Amino acid sequence: MVDVLALVEARLRTALGDPDARAAVTFLGTDRVEVLRFQDDSQDGTVVRYATLGMSAQPMSDPTATLADPVAGPRAELVLSVRGGLADTDKVLRPLAVLAASPQVEGVVVAPGASLDVGEPLWPGAPFTSVLVAEPGGLVEDLELDAPLDPVRFLPLLPMTPNEAAWKRVHGAQALQERWLTNGTDLRDPSRKSVPLD
């Protein structure tokens, strides 16, 4: 059996460089989930990226299926990007691991357009308790695996304020993303305010 996680980590390193920190979280009855931290120093300042490693070890299965298929099914890892030095964002490691474990724990399939809520601030003082799952392929390319395995998709997470999450439930993910775009919202700002929603 191919070591999916070794290939995933290699893809993350190719796309984001070497991680400068990593932490592991294990939840009862689930596989271990690691969160890797990458620093990207550019002219715009430091961007810190957090990527999960472990969610893709098992395919996600339809919660209505009687038996989970051990081979076929979508696989994914989560990637969160925030501006460095503006908040204690390293505390996001546990909430990210919780989200990465949710397919195993709750039997959910995480896909673009979905909202994921951790029920508490993503990090101390964060105005966000949930994230919007965005389309993959921009930052880290999909990782193709040998058939019959589905490719691993690296899903960007966009933090949402409670107002944005409520608005998204009514109007949809596309409408919220258009609202962010129209207002020039800096989605990497760890302390940004909610976009105008009236």
Side-chain angles (χ1 to χ4, degrees), residues 19-56:
D20 67 348
R22 62 196 304 152
V25 182
T26 307
F27 302 101
L28 193 63
T30 67
D31 296 332
R32 186 170 92 146
V33 174
E34 286 190 272
V35 179
L36 280 53
R37 185 181 72 187
F38 302 86
Q39 300 250 23
D40 180 7
D41 298 310
S42 67
Q43 294 171 333
D44 294 347
T46 303
V47 173
V48 184
R49 304 190 196 282
Y50 301 94
T52 63
L53 179 63
M55 183 177 171
S56 61

Side-chain angles (χ1 to χ4, degrees), residues 56-135:
S56 61
Q58 309 287 335
M60 294 182 275
S61 56
D62 182 339
T64 59
T66 7
L67 274 174
D69 190 317
V71 178
R75 293 174 189 258
E77 296 291 354
L78 308 174
V79 182
L80 173 71
S81 301
V82 291
R83 295 202 178 280
L86 302 177
D88 188 9
T89 54
D90 281 353
K91 295 285 196 309
V92 78
L93 299 178
R94 187 167 177 77
L96 268 185
V98 168
L99 295 179
S102 62
Q104 281 188 65
V105 176
E106 298 167 32
V108 295
V109 175
V110 177
S115 302
L116 303 175
D117 198 313
V118 294
E120 61 184 26
L122 292 175
W123 52 82
F128 321 105
T129 60
S130 62
V131 292
L132 174 66
V133 182
E135 290 291 336

